[in-house]
Amino acid sequence: MTYVVTDNCIRCKYMDCVAVCPVNCFYEGEHMLVIHPDECIDCGVCEPECPADAIRADTVEGMAPWIELNARMAPLLPNIDTPGEPPADRESWLGMPDKLTKVYGGPQPERI
Ligand code: SF4
Ligand code: F3S
């Protein structure tokens, strides 16, 4: 089991999760973060800290696409261990449905 970052993170990118992760297993794309599945220790601390409600356990129904995306992107991206500045327009993206398609154009983007 691991935790995964999902659609709600896209263009919200609050980064409160980064501040609480005890093992620094978040990786940063331009518009969202992902969790490295081999590094996450399943502590669950980050899940309630996300203001966008973007983090889920991979055991939750429907997580398969996010498990794939987190696992595929994490090794390609830089590690982030200190929260940066979130996007100025993050609130306008909060809770918007299907951001994966709106921002990246499809379910399996090459870059995030
Ligand atoms: Fe980090 Fe724990 Fe969240 Fe995994 S579940 S990403 S170890 S805070
Ligand atoms: Fe994204 Fe939530 Fe972290 S919006 S950057 S998963 S605090």
Side-chain angles (χ1 to χ4, degrees):
M1 179 189 156
T2 183
Y3 280 73
V4 291
V5 182
T6 70
D7 204 55
N8 281 348
C9 180
I10 298 168
R11 297 200 72 151
C12 286
K13 208 179 173 183
Y14 280 85
M15 293 181 274
D16 296 38
C17 54
V18 173
V20 298
C21 180
V23 294
N24 296 330
C25 63
F26 283 90
Y27 290 77
E28 184 179 19
E30 182 181 1
H31 297 304
M32 73 178 290
L33 303 192
V34 289
I35 293 169
H36 198 307
D38 297 338
E39 298 175 4
C40 174
I41 59 170
D42 309 334
C43 71
V45 168
C46 58
E47 185 180 11
E49 294 296 323
C50 174
D53 194 26
I55 301 173
R56 291 284 180 274
D58 70 353
T59 48
V60 173
E61 194 178 342
M63 285 301 109
W66 301 106
I67 295 168
E68 188 279 330
L69 186 72
N70 280 245
R72 181 164 57 85
M73 298 310 294
L76 305 177
L77 294 170
N79 183 252
I80 175 170
D81 60 8
T82 306
E85 190 68 31
D89 63 347
R90 58 193 177 280
E91 289 189 9
S92 67
W93 291 89
L94 205 52
M96 187 185 293
D98 200 20
K99 289 192 279 185
L100 191 59
T101 300
K102 285 174 182 144
V103 175
Y104 301 123
Q108 293 187 307
E110 295 294 314
R111 300 174 52 195
I112 55 168

